[in-house]
PDB file of all heavy atoms in Angstrom:
ATOM      1  N   THR A 833     158.036 124.679 129.612  1.00 98.00           N
ATOM      2  CA  THR A 833     157.273 123.769 128.760  1.00 98.00           C
ATOM      3  C   THR A 833     156.435 124.569 127.768  1.00 98.00           C
ATOM      4  O   THR A 833     155.862 125.604 128.111  1.00 98.00           O
ATOM      5  CB  THR A 833     156.337 122.882 129.603  1.00 98.00           C
ATOM      6  OG1 THR A 833     157.113 122.204 130.592  1.00 98.00           O
ATOM      7  CG2 THR A 833     155.626 121.861 128.736  1.00 98.00           C
ATOM      8  N   VAL A 834     156.363 124.061 126.546  1.00 98.00           N
ATOM      9  CA  VAL A 834     155.539 124.665 125.503  1.00 98.00           C
ATOM     10  C   VAL A 834     154.291 123.810 125.312  1.00 98.00           C
ATOM     11  O   VAL A 834     154.380 122.580 125.247  1.00 98.00           O
ATOM     12  CB  VAL A 834     156.301 124.752 124.167  1.00 98.00           C
ATOM     13  CG1 VAL A 834     155.450 125.482 123.117  1.00 98.00           C
ATOM     14  CG2 VAL A 834     157.632 125.448 124.338  1.00 98.00           C
ATOM     15  N   VAL A 835     153.133 124.464 125.240  1.00 98.00           N
ATOM     16  CA  VAL A 835     151.878 123.748 125.029  1.00 98.00           C
ATOM     17  C   VAL A 835     151.110 124.389 123.888  1.00 98.00           C
ATOM     18  O   VAL A 835     151.226 125.596 123.641  1.00 98.00           O
ATOM     19  CB  VAL A 835     151.007 123.737 126.309  1.00 98.00           C
ATOM     20  CG1 VAL A 835     151.676 122.945 127.411  1.00 98.00           C
ATOM     21  CG2 VAL A 835     150.693 125.154 126.779  1.00 98.00           C
ATOM     22  N   ALA A 836     150.326 123.583 123.195  1.00 97.00           N
ATOM     23  CA  ALA A 836     149.418 124.081 122.159  1.00 97.00           C
ATOM     24  C   ALA A 836     148.097 123.370 122.329  1.00 97.00           C
ATOM     25  O   ALA A 836     148.062 122.146 122.490  1.00 97.00           O
ATOM     26  CB  ALA A 836     149.992 123.834 120.766  1.00 97.00           C
ATOM     27  N   PHE A 837     146.997 124.126 122.292  1.00 96.00           N
ATOM     28  CA  PHE A 837     145.686 123.539 122.528  1.00 96.00           C
ATOM     29  C   PHE A 837     144.609 124.463 121.951  1.00 96.00           C
ATOM     30  O   PHE A 837     144.862 125.655 121.720  1.00 96.00           O
ATOM     31  CB  PHE A 837     145.443 123.343 124.027  1.00 96.00           C
ATOM     32  CG  PHE A 837     145.668 124.585 124.849  1.00 96.00           C
ATOM     33  CD1 PHE A 837     144.668 125.542 124.992  1.00 96.00           C
ATOM     34  CD2 PHE A 837     146.893 124.812 125.465  1.00 96.00           C
ATOM     35  CE1 PHE A 837     144.880 126.687 125.742  1.00 96.00           C
ATOM     36  CE2 PHE A 837     147.114 125.970 126.215  1.00 96.00           C
ATOM     37  CZ  PHE A 837     146.093 126.909 126.345  1.00 96.00           C
ATOM     38  N   PRO A 838     143.397 123.943 121.719  1.00 92.00           N
ATOM     39  CA  PRO A 838     142.315 124.800 121.238  1.00 92.00           C
ATOM     40  C   PRO A 838     141.986 125.868 122.279  1.00 92.00           C
ATOM     41  O   PRO A 838     141.870 125.572 123.460  1.00 92.00           O
ATOM     42  CB  PRO A 838     141.139 123.832 121.058  1.00 92.00           C
ATOM     43  CG  PRO A 838     141.764 122.482 120.954  1.00 92.00           C
ATOM     44  CD  PRO A 838     142.983 122.532 121.815  1.00 92.00           C
ATOM     45  N   ALA A 839     141.833 127.109 121.831  1.00 84.00           N
ATOM     46  CA  ALA A 839     141.558 128.211 122.751  1.00 84.00           C
ATOM     47  C   ALA A 839     140.071 128.397 123.007  1.00 84.00           C
ATOM     48  O   ALA A 839     139.686 129.208 123.844  1.00 84.00           O
ATOM     49  CB  ALA A 839     142.153 129.512 122.198  1.00 84.00           C
ATOM     50  N   ASP A 840     139.236 127.651 122.293  1.00 77.00           N
ATOM     51  CA  ASP A 840     137.795 127.708 122.530  1.00 77.00           C
ATOM     52  C   ASP A 840     137.187 126.361 122.183  1.00 77.00           C
ATOM     53  O   ASP A 840     137.824 125.521 121.539  1.00 77.00           O
ATOM     54  CB  ASP A 840     137.133 128.828 121.718  1.00 77.00           C
ATOM     55  CG  ASP A 840     137.439 128.737 120.230  1.00 77.00           C
ATOM     56  OD1 ASP A 840     137.152 127.673 119.619  1.00 77.00           O
ATOM     57  OD2 ASP A 840     137.955 129.705 119.666  1.00 77.00           O
ATOM     58  N   GLU A 841     135.959 126.144 122.617  1.00 74.00           N
ATOM     59  CA  GLU A 841     135.315 124.848 122.426  1.00 74.00           C
ATOM     60  C   GLU A 841     135.067 124.553 120.956  1.00 74.00           C
ATOM     61  O   GLU A 841     134.992 123.387 120.558  1.00 74.00           O
ATOM     62  CB  GLU A 841     134.007 124.788 123.215  1.00 74.00           C
ATOM     63  CG  GLU A 841     134.205 124.740 124.720  1.00 74.00           C
ATOM     64  CD  GLU A 841     132.938 124.386 125.465  1.00 74.00           C
ATOM     65  OE1 GLU A 841     131.953 124.007 124.798  1.00 74.00           O
ATOM     66  OE2 GLU A 841     132.929 124.470 126.699  1.00 74.00           O
ATOM     67  N   GLN A 842     134.910 125.574 120.142  1.00 75.00           N
ATOM     68  CA  GLN A 842     134.677 125.373 118.707  1.00 75.00           C
ATOM     69  C   GLN A 842     135.973 125.091 117.958  1.00 75.00           C
ATOM     70  O   GLN A 842     135.953 124.771 116.777  1.00 75.00           O
ATOM     71  CB  GLN A 842     134.003 126.615 118.104  1.00 75.00           C
ATOM     72  CG  GLN A 842     132.572 126.853 118.577  1.00 75.00           C
ATOM     73  CD  GLN A 842     132.496 127.339 120.022  1.00 75.00           C
ATOM     74  OE1 GLN A 842     133.353 128.117 120.457  1.00 75.00           O
ATOM     75  NE2 GLN A 842     131.502 126.874 120.765  1.00 75.00           N
ATOM     76  N   GLN A 843     137.100 125.220 118.649  1.00 75.00           N
ATOM     77  CA  GLN A 843     138.426 125.026 118.073  1.00 75.00           C
ATOM     78  C   GLN A 843     138.655 125.949 116.885  1.00 75.00           C
ATOM     79  O   GLN A 843     139.355 125.612 115.929  1.00 75.00           O
ATOM     80  CB  GLN A 843     138.658 123.556 117.675  1.00 75.00           C
ATOM     81  CG  GLN A 843     138.555 122.604 118.847  1.00 75.00           C
ATOM     82  CD  GLN A 843     139.112 121.231 118.549  1.00 75.00           C
ATOM     83  OE1 GLN A 843     139.865 121.046 117.601  1.00 75.00           O
ATOM     84  NE2 GLN A 843     138.764 120.254 119.368  1.00 75.00           N
ATOM     85  N   SER A 844     138.058 127.146 116.940  1.00 82.00           N
ATOM     86  CA  SER A 844     138.240 128.125 115.871  1.00 82.00           C
ATOM     87  C   SER A 844     139.566 128.865 116.009  1.00 82.00           C
ATOM     88  O   SER A 844     140.012 129.540 115.082  1.00 82.00           O
ATOM     89  CB  SER A 844     137.087 129.138 115.885  1.00 82.00           C
ATOM     90  OG  SER A 844     137.023 129.820 117.129  1.00 82.00           O
ATOM     91  N   SER A 845     140.186 128.750 117.185  1.00 89.00           N
ATOM     92  CA  SER A 845     141.475 129.373 117.428  1.00 89.00           C
ATOM     93  C   SER A 845     142.304 128.471 118.338  1.00 89.00           C
ATOM     94  O   SER A 845     141.760 127.803 119.215  1.00 89.00           O
ATOM     95  CB  SER A 845     141.275 130.745 118.081  1.00 89.00           C
ATOM     96  OG  SER A 845     142.519 131.360 118.348  1.00 89.00           O
ATOM     97  N   TRP A 846     143.615 128.456 118.099  1.00 95.00           N
ATOM     98  CA  TRP A 846     144.522 127.646 118.909  1.00 95.00           C
ATOM     99  C   TRP A 846     145.526 128.544 119.615  1.00 95.00           C
ATOM    100  O   TRP A 846     145.990 129.536 119.043  1.00 95.00           O
ATOM    101  CB  TRP A 846     145.263 126.649 118.023  1.00 95.00           C
ATOM    102  CG  TRP A 846     144.452 125.411 117.752  1.00 95.00           C
ATOM    103  CD1 TRP A 846     143.280 125.332 117.079  1.00 95.00           C
ATOM    104  CD2 TRP A 846     144.775 124.083 118.166  1.00 95.00           C
ATOM    105  NE1 TRP A 846     142.835 124.037 117.043  1.00 95.00           N
ATOM    106  CE2 TRP A 846     143.736 123.255 117.703  1.00 95.00           C
ATOM    107  CE3 TRP A 846     145.826 123.521 118.880  1.00 95.00           C
ATOM    108  CZ2 TRP A 846     143.729 121.878 117.939  1.00 95.00           C
ATOM    109  CZ3 TRP A 846     145.831 122.152 119.112  1.00 95.00           C
ATOM    110  CH2 TRP A 846     144.781 121.348 118.646  1.00 95.00           C
ATOM    111  N   MET A 847     145.847 128.205 120.835  1.00 96.00           N
ATOM    112  CA  MET A 847     146.838 128.942 121.604  1.00 96.00           C
ATOM    113  C   MET A 847     148.133 128.141 121.698  1.00 96.00           C
ATOM    114  O   MET A 847     148.118 126.943 121.957  1.00 96.00           O
ATOM    115  CB  MET A 847     146.326 129.251 123.021  1.00 96.00           C
ATOM    116  CG  MET A 847     147.363 129.940 123.907  1.00 96.00           C
ATOM    117  SD  MET A 847     146.791 130.283 125.593  1.00 96.00           S
ATOM    118  CE  MET A 847     145.722 131.700 125.273  1.00 96.00           C
ATOM    119  N   VAL A 848     149.228 128.826 121.493  1.00 98.00           N
ATOM    120  CA  VAL A 848     150.561 128.268 121.745  1.00 98.00           C
ATOM    121  C   VAL A 848     151.166 129.100 122.867  1.00 98.00           C
ATOM    122  O   VAL A 848     151.209 130.331 122.784  1.00 98.00           O
ATOM    123  CB  VAL A 848     151.456 128.342 120.497  1.00 98.00           C
ATOM    124  CG1 VAL A 848     152.853 127.793 120.823  1.00 98.00           C
ATOM    125  CG2 VAL A 848     150.836 127.568 119.338  1.00 98.00           C
ATOM    126  N   ALA A 849     151.590 128.441 123.925  1.00 98.00           N
ATOM    127  CA  ALA A 849     152.096 129.164 125.091  1.00 98.00           C
ATOM    128  C   ALA A 849     153.383 128.544 125.608  1.00 98.00           C
ATOM    129  O   ALA A 849     153.510 127.320 125.670  1.00 98.00           O
ATOM    130  CB  ALA A 849     151.045 129.187 126.206  1.00 98.00           C
ATOM    131  N   LEU A 850     154.309 129.400 125.983  1.00 98.00           N
ATOM    132  CA  LEU A 850     155.521 128.982 126.676  1.00 98.00           C
ATOM    133  C   LEU A 850     155.345 129.369 128.141  1.00 98.00           C
ATOM    134  O   LEU A 850     155.259 130.556 128.476  1.00 98.00           O
ATOM    135  CB  LEU A 850     156.753 129.678 126.090  1.00 98.00           C
ATOM    136  CG  LEU A 850     158.067 129.519 126.867  1.00 98.00           C
ATOM    137  CD1 LEU A 850     158.467 128.057 126.982  1.00 98.00           C
ATOM    138  CD2 LEU A 850     159.178 130.342 126.222  1.00 98.00           C
ATOM    139  N   VAL A 851     155.248 128.375 129.003  1.00 98.00           N
ATOM    140  CA  VAL A 851     155.075 128.634 130.428  1.00 98.00           C
ATOM    141  C   VAL A 851     156.438 128.986 131.019  1.00 98.00           C
ATOM    142  O   VAL A 851     157.368 128.188 130.989  1.00 98.00           O
ATOM    143  CB  VAL A 851     154.464 127.404 131.143  1.00 98.00           C
ATOM    144  CG1 VAL A 851     154.333 127.677 132.640  1.00 98.00           C
ATOM    145  CG2 VAL A 851     153.106 127.063 130.538  1.00 98.00           C
ATOM    146  N   LYS A 852     156.539 130.199 131.556  1.00 98.00           N
ATOM    147  CA  LYS A 852     157.821 130.705 132.053  1.00 98.00           C
ATOM    148  C   LYS A 852     157.931 130.641 133.575  1.00 98.00           C
ATOM    149  O   LYS A 852     159.009 130.428 134.123  1.00 98.00           O
ATOM    150  CB  LYS A 852     158.021 132.143 131.570  1.00 98.00           C
ATOM    151  CG  LYS A 852     157.990 132.258 130.051  1.00 98.00           C
ATOM    152  CD  LYS A 852     157.960 133.694 129.577  1.00 98.00           C
ATOM    153  CE  LYS A 852     159.305 134.355 129.682  1.00 98.00           C
ATOM    154  NZ  LYS A 852     159.283 135.719 129.063  1.00 98.00           N
ATOM    155  N   GLU A 853     156.806 130.882 134.269  1.00 98.00           N
ATOM    156  CA  GLU A 853     156.811 130.853 135.733  1.00 98.00           C
ATOM    157  C   GLU A 853     155.527 130.201 136.223  1.00 98.00           C
ATOM    158  O   GLU A 853     154.511 130.194 135.538  1.00 98.00           O
ATOM    159  CB  GLU A 853     156.900 132.273 136.321  1.00 98.00           C
ATOM    160  CG  GLU A 853     158.159 133.032 135.988  1.00 98.00           C
ATOM    161  CD  GLU A 853     158.131 134.433 136.581  1.00 98.00           C
ATOM    162  OE1 GLU A 853     157.429 134.640 137.603  1.00 98.00           O
ATOM    163  OE2 GLU A 853     158.788 135.325 136.010  1.00 98.00           O
ATOM    164  N   ARG A 854     155.612 129.700 137.442  1.00 98.00           N
ATOM    165  CA  ARG A 854     154.448 129.128 138.118  1.00 98.00           C
ATOM    166  C   ARG A 854     154.518 129.616 139.562  1.00 98.00           C
ATOM    167  O   ARG A 854     155.413 129.218 140.314  1.00 98.00           O
ATOM    168  CB  ARG A 854     154.496 127.595 138.040  1.00 98.00           C
ATOM    169  CG  ARG A 854     153.253 126.881 138.581  1.00 98.00           C
ATOM    170  CD  ARG A 854     153.452 125.379 138.474  1.00 98.00           C
ATOM    171  NE  ARG A 854     152.290 124.661 138.976  1.00 98.00           N
ATOM    172  CZ  ARG A 854     151.306 124.178 138.232  1.00 98.00           C
ATOM    173  NH1 ARG A 854     151.337 124.346 136.919  1.00 98.00           N
ATOM    174  NH2 ARG A 854     150.289 123.540 138.782  1.00 98.00           N
ATOM    175  N   ASN A 855     153.577 130.492 139.946  1.00 97.00           N
ATOM    176  CA  ASN A 855     153.678 131.180 141.225  1.00 97.00           C
ATOM    177  C   ASN A 855     152.437 130.954 142.092  1.00 97.00           C
ATOM    178  O   ASN A 855     151.336 130.737 141.590  1.00 97.00           O
ATOM    179  CB  ASN A 855     153.839 132.693 140.987  1.00 97.00           C
ATOM    180  CG  ASN A 855     155.049 133.009 140.126  1.00 97.00           C
ATOM    181  OD1 ASN A 855     156.117 132.435 140.316  1.00 97.00           O
ATOM    182  ND2 ASN A 855     154.886 133.917 139.177  1.00 97.00           N
ATOM    183  N   LYS A 856     152.658 131.044 143.397  1.00 95.00           N
ATOM    184  CA  LYS A 856     151.561 131.023 144.354  1.00 95.00           C
ATOM    185  C   LYS A 856     151.275 132.459 144.763  1.00 95.00           C
ATOM    186  O   LYS A 856     152.173 133.169 145.226  1.00 95.00           O
ATOM    187  CB  LYS A 856     151.929 130.187 145.581  1.00 95.00           C
ATOM    188  CG  LYS A 856     150.771 129.955 146.552  1.00 95.00           C
ATOM    189  CD  LYS A 856     151.206 129.054 147.690  1.00 95.00           C
ATOM    190  CE  LYS A 856     150.064 128.779 148.648  1.00 95.00           C
ATOM    191  NZ  LYS A 856     148.980 128.010 148.023  1.00 95.00           N
ATOM    192  N   VAL A 857     150.031 132.893 144.582  1.00 94.00           N
ATOM    193  CA  VAL A 857     149.660 134.273 144.865  1.00 94.00           C
ATOM    194  C   VAL A 857     148.530 134.300 145.889  1.00 94.00           C
ATOM    195  O   VAL A 857     147.913 133.278 146.194  1.00 94.00           O
ATOM    196  CB  VAL A 857     149.222 134.999 143.572  1.00 94.00           C
ATOM    197  CG1 VAL A 857     150.377 135.053 142.586  1.00 94.00           C
ATOM    198  CG2 VAL A 857     148.015 134.318 142.937  1.00 94.00           C
ATOM    199  N   SER A 858     148.259 135.478 146.411  1.00 90.00           N
ATOM    200  CA  SER A 858     147.170 135.625 147.376  1.00 90.00           C
ATOM    201  C   SER A 858     145.832 135.657 146.656  1.00 90.00           C
ATOM    202  O   SER A 858     145.714 136.258 145.585  1.00 90.00           O
ATOM    203  CB  SER A 858     147.351 136.919 148.176  1.00 90.00           C
ATOM    204  OG  SER A 858     148.569 136.899 148.888  1.00 90.00           O
ATOM    205  N   PRO A 859     144.801 135.038 147.221  1.00 85.00           N
ATOM    206  CA  PRO A 859     143.495 135.067 146.585  1.00 85.00           C
ATOM    207  C   PRO A 859     142.912 136.477 146.570  1.00 85.00           C
ATOM    208  O   PRO A 859     143.189 137.285 147.453  1.00 85.00           O
ATOM    209  CB  PRO A 859     142.639 134.138 147.446  1.00 85.00           C
ATOM    210  CG  PRO A 859     143.489 133.647 148.554  1.00 85.00           C
ATOM    211  CD  PRO A 859     144.817 134.287 148.461  1.00 85.00           C
ATOM    212  N   VAL A 860     142.125 136.751 145.559  1.00 81.00           N
ATOM    213  CA  VAL A 860     141.426 138.028 145.464  1.00 81.00           C
ATOM    214  C   VAL A 860     140.224 137.985 146.412  1.00 81.00           C
ATOM    215  O   VAL A 860     139.543 136.963 146.500  1.00 81.00           O
ATOM    216  CB  VAL A 860     140.957 138.277 144.017  1.00 81.00           C
ATOM    217  CG1 VAL A 860     140.083 139.530 143.932  1.00 81.00           C
ATOM    218  CG2 VAL A 860     142.168 138.394 143.094  1.00 81.00           C
ATOM    219  N   PRO A 861     139.959 139.074 147.133  1.00 76.00           N
ATOM    220  CA  PRO A 861     138.785 139.091 148.022  1.00 76.00           C
ATOM    221  C   PRO A 861     137.507 138.706 147.280  1.00 76.00           C
ATOM    222  O   PRO A 861     137.269 139.153 146.170  1.00 76.00           O
ATOM    223  CB  PRO A 861     138.728 140.561 148.488  1.00 76.00           C
ATOM    224  CG  PRO A 861     140.141 141.031 148.405  1.00 76.00           C
ATOM    225  CD  PRO A 861     140.725 140.336 147.222  1.00 76.00           C
ATOM    226  N   GLY A 862     136.736 137.835 147.907  1.00 68.00           N
ATOM    227  CA  GLY A 862     135.492 137.378 147.294  1.00 68.00           C
ATOM    228  C   GLY A 862     135.614 136.044 146.604  1.00 68.00           C
ATOM    229  O   GLY A 862     134.615 135.486 146.121  1.00 68.00           O
ATOM    230  N   GLU A 863     136.848 135.512 146.540  1.00 65.00           N
ATOM    231  CA  GLU A 863     137.050 134.227 145.876  1.00 65.00           C
ATOM    232  C   GLU A 863     137.038 133.053 146.855  1.00 65.00           C
ATOM    233  O   GLU A 863     137.276 131.918 146.469  1.00 65.00           O
ATOM    234  CB  GLU A 863     138.386 134.225 145.112  1.00 65.00           C
ATOM    235  CG  GLU A 863     138.410 135.150 143.907  1.00 65.00           C
ATOM    236  CD  GLU A 863     139.737 135.094 143.167  1.00 65.00           C
ATOM    237  OE1 GLU A 863     140.707 134.512 143.698  1.00 65.00           O
ATOM    238  OE2 GLU A 863     139.794 135.635 142.062  1.00 65.00           O
ATOM    239  N   ASP A 864     136.769 133.323 148.115  1.00 61.00           N
ATOM    240  CA  ASP A 864     136.850 132.289 149.142  1.00 61.00           C
ATOM    241  C   ASP A 864     135.947 131.097 148.857  1.00 61.00           C
ATOM    242  O   ASP A 864     136.319 129.946 149.108  1.00 61.00           O
ATOM    243  CB  ASP A 864     136.496 132.879 150.511  1.00 61.00           C
ATOM    244  CG  ASP A 864     137.478 133.965 150.932  1.00 61.00           C
ATOM    245  OD1 ASP A 864     138.576 134.010 150.349  1.00 61.00           O
ATOM    246  OD2 ASP A 864     137.136 134.752 151.824  1.00 61.00           O
TER     247      ASP A 864
END
């Protein structure tokens, strides 16, 4: 899926991204 959205609250920059993978990873220590 391709998405486009404001990259900041001021909408001074927009990001266009192609989502290629969606993975489940291990949490980083301290994120509990």
Side-chain angles (χ1 to χ4, degrees):
T833 305
V834 184
V835 294
F837 52 84
D840 54 56
E841 290 192 9
Q842 292 72 37
Q843 300 194 18
S844 59
S845 179
W846 277 64
M847 176 181 284
V848 178
L850 170 60
V851 178
K852 302 171 76 174
E853 297 178 26
R854 186 181 180 97
N855 303 317
K856 188 177 182 65
V857 298
S858 299
V860 173
E863 291 181 349
D864 298 342

